[in-house]
Amino acid sequence: MKTAVRMIVVLALLAVILGGIFGWKFLQMQKMGEQMSQAQPPTPVDSVTLDAKAWRPEIKSVGSLRAINGVAVSNEVAGVVSEIAFESGQRVARGDILIKLEDSVDRAALAALEAQARLANETFRRYSDLLPRNAISQSQYDEAQANYQAARADVAQQQAQLDKKTIRAPFDGVVGLRQVDLGEYIAVGTPIVELNMLDPIYVDYSVAEKQLDQVQAGRQVQIHVAAFSERAFDGVIEAVAPTVDESSRTLDVRAKLSNAEHLLRPGMFADVRTLAPDTVSVPTLPRTALAFNTYGDYVFKIVENDQGQTIAQRAQVSIGQLRGDQVEIIEGLEPGDRVVATGQLRLRDGQPIQVKGGDSEGNADAPAADTEVSNAEAQG
């Protein structure tokens, strides 16, 4: 009997405890339901308006810089270096002496040949005076003339050989690092120093064959290099290869750029943009206004629903070129449409929003106006 009473008391206590727990949970769920049933406050957002800007169509390529003239200066004759007349990295002009080879033997040989030429000249002059008086035969005169001409040729040959002992700059440019030392014996063809003409300079790059009509000679190009990423260098297409590479279906293009400051160097990698002659009006948005999902790029348009609420409406878009922080919108929006500028990840389709005062940077609510976007800003 006592055991039954105890069991009833325990069951009663458990019922009270469990009932209290279930009651407390039920009240919590009721409160959560009431909170969720209440209308959420609109999410504050910044807005931007799809605006039209004047963009210059361009072809993007990559290329390499090369000197218009660039050689490794070497010697035509062997010899011992007797003089070095330049410093590494120095600017030189055409005809400036770079090095001299020991030439004492060649000078002595030249002096002997010059003496022989003077003697042959005197003989020829005497024979020229004697021939009209029939004091010598025609054959003697001809022999004297031939000896004189041969002596002059020997002098010229030896002078040319002597001149090769002095190595000069073949064009204006900047020399590189010296590769020979004073007193060193150098064989024929030994590299002495690299010489490059840096102003102007070429950029060589390739474009697809379908873009052939956009790369005529005279069209403007603009390049950027890693060493001066914030600066744009302008140039003009000088030549287009007459054939298309069968393996890649591309053709080579060469443009010339001014390089008075010698900032551009042969061998540099260049980001090349071939510019169209005219600008076109392009609808653009800041890149921050776009988001991406498995279906592609999208934005949140700012519209009003049937109840007059301002909401965010998801809209898929097709994009085109990128210029700096701006992106071309090809499809999905109309000029004048307002979209959420930032914070798309916290929004859902149809969510009420509150547009904060004024548009984001650029005051996109202002009347649309074509604005030239420089390529220098585009690279920024």
Side-chain angles (χ1 to χ4, degrees), residues 89-100:
Q90 176 183 335
R91 296 187 186 187
V92 296
R94 179 178 181 179
D96 285 353
I97 295 175
L98 299 179
I99 70 168
K100 288 185 177 181

Side-chain angles (χ1 to χ4, degrees), residues 209-250:
E209 62 176 329
K210 66 180 181 180
Q211 298 167 326
L212 173 60
D213 61 333
Q214 303 176 51
V215 291
Q216 298 93 344
R219 182 157 292 185
Q220 292 184 334
V221 301
Q222 192 173 77
I223 75 165
H224 291 80
V225 295
F228 308 97
S229 57
E230 300 299 324
R231 180 166 178 177
F233 298 87
D234 297 319
V236 176
I237 293 178
E238 186 168 86
V240 180
T243 58
V244 175
D245 188 321
E246 293 184 3
S247 59
S248 62
R249 302 302 175 186
T250 61

Side-chain angles (χ1 to χ4, degrees), residues 10-136:
V10 170
L11 291 174
L13 289 174
L14 287 175
V16 171
I17 294 171
L18 292 175
I21 292 174
F22 288 135
W24 180 61
K25 288 292 185 181
F26 179 75
L27 290 175
Q28 278 189 326
M29 293 179 64
Q30 274 192 326
K31 290 182 179 179
M32 290 177 61
E34 291 175 358
Q35 290 178 353
M36 293 183 64
S37 63
Q38 293 177 357
Q40 295 294 322
T43 303
V45 297
D46 293 319
S47 69
V48 66
T49 302
L50 182 66
D51 206 355
K53 296 185 182 297
W55 275 12
R56 200 170 182 181
E58 60 185 28
I59 301 172
K60 295 182 180 180
S61 309
V62 294
S64 296
L65 297 176
R66 70 177 304 271
I68 290 181
N69 289 309
V71 296
V73 180
S74 59
N75 53 312
E76 294 185 58
V77 295
V80 176
V81 179
S82 61
E83 179 183 344
I84 298 176
F86 71 94
E87 296 294 337
S88 298
Q90 176 183 335
R91 296 187 186 187
V92 296
R94 179 178 181 179
D96 285 353
I97 295 175
L98 299 179
I99 70 168
K100 288 185 177 181
L101 303 180
E102 205 285 324
D103 59 3
S104 57
V105 174
D106 297 277
R107 289 186 180 279
L110 178 62
L113 292 174
E114 287 176 339
Q116 294 177 13
R118 286 194 295 271
L119 176 60
N121 184 34
E122 290 298 325
T123 301
F124 177 60
R125 287 178 57 189
R126 285 196 299 270
Y127 280 22
S128 297
D129 293 336
L130 294 175
L131 182 62
R133 291 181 285 176
N134 295 322
I136 59 170

